[in-house]
Amino acid sequence: MTTPPAHPQPPPPGGVLWSLAGDVRGLLMLPAALALQVAHPAVGAGVDEHSVFRTDPWGRGERSLRSLQLWVYGGEAAAEEGRRLRRLHGAISGTDTRGRPYHALRPETYAWVHATGFPVQHHALRYLVRPMTPEQERQLYAEWLRVGRVLGIRDRDMPQTVEEFWPYYRRMLAEEVELTPVVRDLVATGDPLPPPDRGPLPLRLLLRPLWPLVWPRLARFRAFVTVGFMPPDAREAIGLEWSPAQERRLRRLSRVVRAVVPALPERLRYLPLARRARRAHRRGRDAGRVPLTAGDRPVR
């Protein structure tokens, strides 16, 4: 097991993640990141055997999304959330799909779960926002390392530069990832899912009778964005199919998203926790007469 870093600090307000992590476009990237995580045999086995994602999918999704937001926007609560996650994973162990013993907090396993977010964002941003400059790429990775420290990942367990990250990532694709049962579940379109049991009551009541019609379309869309926003080399390593026709559809969807989302008001563009944190930061900055810096400008 790892020894968590002392007093980890989340990414700074006004940074790249401050603009990206709470943007609703992130919801389109999350399925690909999750699939890449669970393509690791140990991670997939841990989720398969210990997670409630099949029995409580909506609750599991809501808790995961809130946790992710806390890593970036939680301030002092970010480190406590990291400690909570480590306590939660402390009892998760077993045997993976290759017959190897695993523990959720084994450094190389825990680091992979976190590491997958970077290549997925790096790839998906080209579609949903714009390609990053080398400077933005380095800044995003540096901030991703800060999130890793919040989660209790030691610096020696993660590549410390972008240049070191890509060989590590390619080695993991070549040696570790596979089409695990959980990945199959995430790209399946025929498995039933119950209607949402949380969210606004009127919406839940509306969806309940329509769910047999809504869910098959939603399942196909989930599978589409899961595979589409996964980096092509990861897609190939896992064994997920992707056609030129699907790529054209993804590019059409992305053009619409790129045009619509930046035009939305902040209350629609950002998730609630991110929206509150951004508002509080602006108020504090204005009260202190802190000038706007280049880092405060969102990546659009």
Side-chain angles (χ1 to χ4, degrees):
M1 296 186 187
T2 64
T3 300
H7 310 298
Q9 296 296 314
V16 175
L17 281 175
W18 190 260
S19 291
L20 295 177
D23 190 303
V24 294
R25 285 173 284 191
L27 298 175
L28 294 172
M29 307 180 201
L30 286 177
L34 176 58
L36 187 52
Q37 290 174 9
V38 298
H40 188 291
V43 182
V47 170
D48 198 16
E49 297 168 4
H50 298 275
S51 175
V52 296
F53 83 99
R54 292 189 181 96
T55 57
D56 183 23
W58 300 107
R60 180 70 177 86
E62 180 184 59
R63 292 188 293 274
S64 296
L65 188 59
R66 183 177 186 277
S67 181
L68 187 153
Q69 297 292 290
L70 282 172
W71 305 346
V72 176
Y73 301 105
E76 293 182 1
E80 175 52 38
E81 176 63 10
R83 290 189 289 269
R84 185 191 72 84
L85 289 173
R86 291 182 65 81
R87 292 193 297 269
L88 181 67
H89 289 84
I92 297 177
S93 62
T95 304
D96 70 16
T97 55
R98 300 181 186 179
R100 304 174 299 189
Y102 72 83
H103 191 284
L105 294 182
R106 182 172 291 168
E108 58 269 27
T109 304
Y110 206 56
W112 173 251
V113 172
H114 176 58
T116 54
F118 178 71
V120 169
Q121 287 189 79
H122 184 272
H123 175 66
L125 287 172
R126 296 172 53 233
Y127 292 81
L128 298 172
V129 183
R130 66 170 182 242
M132 288 186 294
T133 66
E135 180 183 356
Q136 288 173 327
E137 181 181 355
R138 288 186 174 85
Q139 183 180 351
L140 176 60
Y141 189 73
E143 293 183 17
W144 203 240
L145 288 177
R146 290 183 68 158
V147 173
R149 295 179 192 118
V150 166
L151 297 176
I153 298 171
R154 302 170 302 186
D155 283 352
R156 67 174 178 266
D157 295 324
M158 278 283 291
Q160 291 300 291
T161 66
V162 169
E163 290 78 12
E164 294 172 344
F165 176 81
W166 293 116
Y168 154 80
Y169 166 72
R170 289 190 289 269
R171 177 177 62 80
M172 294 296 288
L173 294 186
E175 298 178 3
E176 288 291 345
V177 304
E178 64 184 35
L179 187 61
T180 64
V182 182
V183 174
R184 289 192 181 94
D185 284 350
L186 292 176
V187 298
T189 58
D191 296 338
L193 192 74
D197 57 2
R198 55 204 65 220
L201 180 60
L203 180 61
R204 282 185 280 147
L205 293 176
L206 176 65
L207 282 175
R208 195 170 297 165
L210 298 175
W211 194 244
L213 297 175
V214 172
W215 168 242
R217 292 169 174 79
L218 184 59
R220 289 194 293 271
F221 181 75
R222 180 188 68 175
F224 176 70
V225 297
T226 298
V227 182
F229 288 125
M230 184 175 291
D233 50 0
R235 198 188 293 151
E236 182 179 356
I238 296 171
L240 297 171
E241 295 183 357
W242 188 250
S243 69
Q246 287 174 308
E247 178 67 19
R248 289 192 292 272
R249 285 175 52 207
L250 184 70
R251 291 178 181 273
R252 288 196 297 270
L253 169 67
S254 299
R255 283 196 295 270
V256 172
V257 172
R258 280 201 311 272
V260 171
V261 173
L264 295 175
E266 184 158 307
R267 63 185 175 83
L268 297 178
R269 178 178 171 183
Y270 283 93
L271 299 172
L273 197 155
R275 193 167 62 243
R276 291 194 296 270
R278 289 167 60 85
R279 187 185 306 124
H281 172 60
R282 283 197 300 272
R283 287 173 179 166
R285 184 184 62 203
D286 294 343
R289 293 186 172 88
V290 178
L292 183 70
T293 66
D296 289 315
R297 292 194 291 270
V299 178
R300 297 189 179 276

